[in-house]
Amino acid sequence: MSQLQLEVQVSPSREHGASGIEAATRAFSAGDRPTAERGYREAQALPLQRTESLANLAALGVMLGDARGALGYARRAVGVGRTHAGAWINFGVASWRLGQHRDAAMAMQKAVELRPGEEAAALNYARMLRSVQQLAQAREMLERAAAHNPGSWRLQEELAITCRLQGVSEAAAIRRHALAALSLLMPRLPASLEEATTPPHSRNAADDDAASTRARRLLFAVGDALDAAGVPFHLIGGALLAIHRDGRLLPHDKDIDLALPFETDRELVAAAMSRAGGFRPLANPAMEVVAAARKWVMGFRHLETDICVDLMFVRTQDGVARFELGAPDYLSCELPAYPLRALQWAGRAWLAPSPPEHFLDAIYGPDWAGPAVIRGFDRRWFDTQVSNPSRTPESLPRAVTLVLLRLLQALQARQWAKARALCIQVQAREPLPEVGAMLARLERVQAT
């Protein structure tokens, strides 16, 4: 919970010397930490008295990792101005960073009560509530905030995220809020769409080689763990695609998928990964929703490489192989059952679908071995959730909605090429006016 993404608030102050705090926060946001640290030291020496000044100093302290100092300034700020929402916001964030979660939640609740439409307060409080599974309370609060601030795309996005965690029964609400966020965000896009960062897979050959080597270490570690426990598995997904097509693992993959027989003992798998050491479950297995999801998938993070592995349980019945992702999206795909054969790679035999081409056609489409640009976009932005040809009809609308949330994330990160690719893939599956308008905007600006 201490890693929760929370936002501080900085507001203008007319107090003498306080403008340096605002300048320091801008420097920090621009990546100039030394200037921000110097501004923080200088501001600490000032005899600040106004609520805004003290609250801003608390925000800067949080940014620089001085949560304890920040909490002291925030406490002084709320003491001076108890109706200042920003002071309570920064008090709450500093408290959370120190592990004082109850105080943090109470402070954020106070900020929401003072300013129910304030984005930072509502977003922070929703994330705190979600961290303790208070989903209904988080949604109710966000709905009130959105009613007070109807132009906030961020509140609509947070509502979509919260509804998604409530389960598939809220599918219509997830879709409604995600599309609302997309429409509200579009007029706020910058006039010049320059990529903010270089995609990780486009850095340089040396970085790609190092990333691919890390993924290989993960695959060998998982393989060793499962082999030691006598648990059969085979390659699927991006690992199979990369090994069969490129001869090495994809350097930009954030996880690796492996398939296990559906009848595999889940407790045996958990014990095998635990004995191997260096792996941690992605979610608490004691949680009811996680326990239910283990019917189809178990996820682990490899601490050495910081790469995840999803162990997918494939059910083969009546000539059909079925894969499914559990909560919260419950996405399924079905394809013809396939035999297995050994695939030699990196000095080791790996079981894989036979022939691999048939499996890859079913998951990625017939252009999986095609050129770098497919269907009008860079194939590195291919999204398996929505573009999987084997996606089952009942889960396809949920896959589209999931990719709407990914589209919002790409737009926030200024990853315009990825955003455009996601728009194209959504429109190919389910044409949506809001997505069509966003695609037209991206292509229009790109063309000019």
Side-chain angles (χ1 to χ4, degrees):
M1 289 193 295
S2 61
Q3 298 303 311
L4 209 62
Q5 183 180 352
L6 302 174
E7 301 180 12
V8 292
Q9 187 178 78
V10 177
S11 55
S13 175
R14 297 180 181 178
E15 188 169 5
H16 177 70
S19 60
I21 305 173
E22 298 169 50
T25 60
R26 290 193 295 270
F28 182 86
S29 298
D32 186 357
R33 186 182 180 93
T35 296
E37 290 176 338
R38 184 168 58 251
Y40 187 47
R41 290 193 301 269
E42 293 172 353
Q44 287 176 306
L46 296 174
L48 301 173
Q49 299 297 325
R50 293 183 64 91
T51 302
E52 294 85 353
S53 305
L54 294 165
N56 291 349
L57 191 54
L60 182 56
V62 168
M63 293 177 182
L64 293 171
D66 181 20
R68 193 163 301 280
L71 183 58
Y73 294 121
R75 184 174 286 116
R76 286 174 57 191
V78 298
V80 175
R82 298 194 64 79
T83 60
H84 192 279
W88 285 106
I89 290 171
N90 297 342
F91 183 96
V93 176
S95 297
W96 189 275
R97 293 286 180 258
L98 292 170
Q100 301 170 11
H101 297 158
R102 180 179 177 84
D103 290 346
M106 292 176 64
M108 214 59 66
Q109 182 180 23
K110 179 68 173 179
V112 168
E113 291 171 354
L114 290 169
R115 295 281 301 277
E118 175 60 48
E119 279 188 353
L123 295 173
N124 288 343
Y125 194 31
R127 293 162 188 170
M128 291 177 179
L129 290 170
R130 287 206 306 262
S131 72
V132 291
Q133 301 300 307
Q134 298 294 323
L135 299 178
Q137 187 177 347
R139 179 177 178 179
E140 182 181 352
M141 180 273 300
L142 286 168
E143 287 173 342
R144 288 197 302 270
H148 281 84
N149 190 355
S152 171
W153 65 267
R154 300 182 71 208
L155 291 176
Q156 293 294 333
E157 180 190 36
E158 204 74 15
L159 269 166
I161 293 170
T162 302
C163 291
R164 176 178 174 237
L165 295 175
Q166 288 185 297
V168 294
S169 62
E170 301 299 331
I174 306 168
R175 174 76 63 94
R176 182 176 69 254
H177 292 301
L179 291 175
L182 197 63
S183 296
L184 290 167
L185 174 59
M186 187 166 65
R188 294 168 171 79
L189 293 182
S192 176
L193 302 184
E194 297 181 2
E195 294 281 340
T197 57
T198 301
H201 51 270
S202 300
R203 295 165 298 183
N204 58 58
D207 286 341
D208 281 356
D209 287 343
S212 184
T213 299
R214 286 196 299 273
R216 172 174 160 171
R217 288 205 302 272
L218 163 67
L219 182 57
F220 270 76
V222 177
D224 290 343
L226 296 177
D227 283 344
V231 176
F233 68 93
H234 60 272
L235 302 174
I236 55 170
L240 175 63
L241 171 67
I243 290 173
H244 181 68
R245 186 188 65 194
D246 305 329
R248 69 169 189 173
L249 294 172
L250 298 174
H252 55 278
D253 271 359
K254 294 181 180 179
D255 56 39
I256 286 178
D257 294 338
L258 296 174
L260 283 65
F262 193 75
E263 61 274 12
T264 302
D265 185 338
R266 275 51 167 179
E267 294 303 325
L268 177 62
V269 173
M273 300 301 284
S274 176
R275 277 197 305 272
F279 289 95
R280 294 291 181 272
L282 288 179
N284 183 359
M287 294 174 56
E288 182 178 350
V289 66
V290 177
R294 290 211 313 176
K295 176 180 179 181
W296 292 99
V297 61
M298 294 173 67
F300 299 87
R301 180 176 299 280
H302 187 223
L303 301 182
E304 178 194 345
T305 60
D306 198 33
I307 304 175
C308 301
V309 58
D310 286 330
L311 304 180
M312 312 285 296
F313 299 98
V314 54
R315 186 179 69 190
T316 302
Q317 187 175 348
D318 299 327
V320 174
R322 180 182 178 93
F323 295 86
E324 185 171 308
L325 294 177
D329 304 299
Y330 295 98
L331 304 182
S332 307
C333 68
E334 293 183 341
L335 59 154
Y338 50 84
L340 299 175
R341 76 177 189 196
L343 180 67
Q344 296 295 326
W345 178 73
R348 182 168 176 168
W350 305 86
L351 287 179
S354 179
E357 295 81 3
H358 290 181
F359 181 91
L360 295 172
D361 283 348
I363 299 298
Y364 296 101
D367 52 3
W368 57 267
V373 176
I374 58 172
R375 311 179 203 182
F377 61 89
D378 189 322
R379 73 179 180 192
R380 289 172 295 189
W381 298 127
F382 182 93
D383 193 293
T384 312
Q385 302 308 339
V386 72
S387 292
N388 182 344
S390 299
R391 180 69 60 221
T392 57
E394 76 276 3
S395 65
L396 178 58
R398 297 194 293 274
V400 169
T401 301
L402 174 60
V403 175
L404 291 178
L405 294 175
R406 293 179 176 177
L407 172 58
L408 287 166
Q409 293 172 352
L411 291 167
Q412 292 171 65
R414 300 171 67 88
Q415 295 176 315
W416 310 122
K418 179 178 181 179
R420 179 178 171 276
L422 294 178
C423 285
I424 292 172
Q425 292 173 84
V426 167
Q427 292 300 86
R429 294 299 241 163
E430 183 181 346
L432 298 170
E434 297 88 346
V435 178
M438 180 61 75
L439 177 59
R441 168 69 190 279
L442 293 171
E443 292 185 333
R444 183 170 61 251
V445 176
Q446 185 181 49
T448 58

